Amino acid sequence: MNSLPMAIDPADLERLRWATQHLEHPSLAARLMSIVGTPIEIAIKLLPRPVYRQLRAAADAAIGQVMEVAASSLRHEHEGDPRNALYQGLAAGSGAVGGFFGVWGLIFDLPISTTLMLRSIAEIARAEGEDLHSAEARMACLEVFALGGQSESDDAAEAGYYGVRLALAVPIAQAASHIAEHGLSGKGAPAIVELIAAIGARFGVVISEKAAAQIVPLVGAAAGAAVNLAFMNHYQEMARGHFVVRALERRYGQALVQASYEAIRRGETFPA
């Protein structure tokens, strides 16, 4: 079995190992199954197709909303340690209210919970050294929403973390350039629409899993709170993994970090 080079500090390699594990093996489906007692793949089949389509449209709308937040106000975020527990509590409360109304409550709650997640993601980004005054860092916060679920059109190469980043690289660069020049005055601009669609396609997969979990147990507020808490935890872990990788790339260069990441992903060992 091949070994990883020791060009990266051992402590940073351990951080990269943690990030790789969480980015390549997200735990949302397992968390939701533990809440509802039913495999999420089965629960999704219970969703009526019109509801499924509305959820996908709601996912795109939520990404459009958080894009506005990312473009305008993230630079003013809290500068201390990430307040993960605060956002988890707020998400659980929002989910409890929405849980009374089943799937329709989810559609109502989605803009709220997605904005809360973006705020939490931004605090994690800042803690890992991101400058939220830069358009690149704010777009990287949006990128997290694409990391939690696989688009139906993804092939094997696009399914991994670096595959998703590669697939989003052009839409993000074009959207960042458009926002820098025009702001969000032209929300229907092709660059903005393309990025929302690219992220929404993956985010919508996770929203469908969330909706499926909320219709199975039929226990209202308690289920809504538990599902939203799992939802928030999931994206906080995705954010931490993403921004750990980006922090290491700034320190060691993307080529070395990506090579080490892929070696960890393949199960290669560290030298003694």
Side-chain angles (χ1 to χ4, degrees):
M1 184 177 289
N2 295 330
S3 295
L4 292 172
M6 286 300 291
I8 297 179
D9 180 82
D12 285 338
L13 275 173
E14 287 306 308
R15 277 167 37 90
L16 184 60
R17 182 188 290 279
W18 184 93
T20 305
Q21 175 62 29
H22 286 78
L23 290 167
E24 296 299 328
H25 305 286
S27 59
L28 181 62
R31 285 174 172 164
L32 294 178
M33 187 175 72
S34 72
I35 294 169
V36 305
T38 301
I40 293 303
E41 294 81 1
I42 294 175
I44 286 176
K45 293 179 181 178
L46 300 177
L47 286 174
R49 296 308 296 178
V51 173
Y52 186 82
R53 287 192 292 271
Q54 282 191 277
L55 288 169
R56 290 307 181 89
D60 282 357
I63 294 301
Q65 175 177 303
V66 296
M67 180 175 288
E68 293 188 38
V69 175
S72 60
S73 66
L74 282 188
R75 68 195 72 185
H76 306 300
E77 285 304 296
H78 170 74
E79 295 192 15
D81 292 336
R83 298 170 294 180
N84 290 350
L86 169 64
Y87 289 108
Q88 290 165 10
L90 292 172
S94 177
V97 173
F100 282 113
F101 304 99
V103 172
W104 307 114
L106 167 62
I107 293 175
F108 171 80
D109 167 64
L110 187 58
I112 300 171
S113 58
T114 307
T115 300
L116 289 172
M117 284 192 294
L118 179 64
R119 297 291 185 189
S120 183
I121 289 166
E123 291 187 11
I124 293 168
R126 190 189 293 278
E128 292 294 341
E130 298 284 346
D131 177 10
L132 294 178
H133 286 84
S134 77
E136 179 197 358
R138 298 198 301 274
M139 291 298 103
C141 290
L142 285 177
E143 203 171 12
V144 173
F145 290 101
L147 300 176
Q150 183 176 340
S151 167
E152 293 166 350
S153 62
D154 285 348
D155 58 25
E158 292 177 325
Y161 168 71
Y162 274 102
V164 172
R165 281 182 60 179
L166 180 62
L168 292 177
V170 171
I172 283 178
Q174 291 175 341
S177 175
H178 175 88
I179 291 170
E181 186 173 350
H182 304 288
L184 281 169
S185 56
K187 293 185 208 175
I192 302 296
V193 171
E194 183 179 353
L195 181 58
I196 290 173
I199 296 176
R202 293 173 172 84
F203 186 54
V205 173
V206 181
I207 295 304
S208 298
E209 293 177 350
K210 183 176 186 289
Q214 286 187 224
I215 68 169
V216 169
L218 301 177
V219 292
V227 168
N228 254 26
L229 180 58
F231 196 46
M232 178 63 77
N233 284 336
H234 173 66
Y235 278 101
Q236 286 175 337
E237 287 185 354
M238 293 296 101
R240 186 181 167 210
H242 179 45
F243 290 111
V244 162
V245 171
R246 283 175 56 89
L248 294 176
E249 288 176 348
R250 289 193 295 275
R251 182 172 181 182
Y252 298 102
Q254 181 174 338
L256 177 59
V257 172
Q258 183 172 354
S260 299
Y261 181 104
E262 295 296 347
I264 293 169
R265 185 183 180 193
R266 292 191 298 270
E268 296 181 13
T269 59
F270 298 97

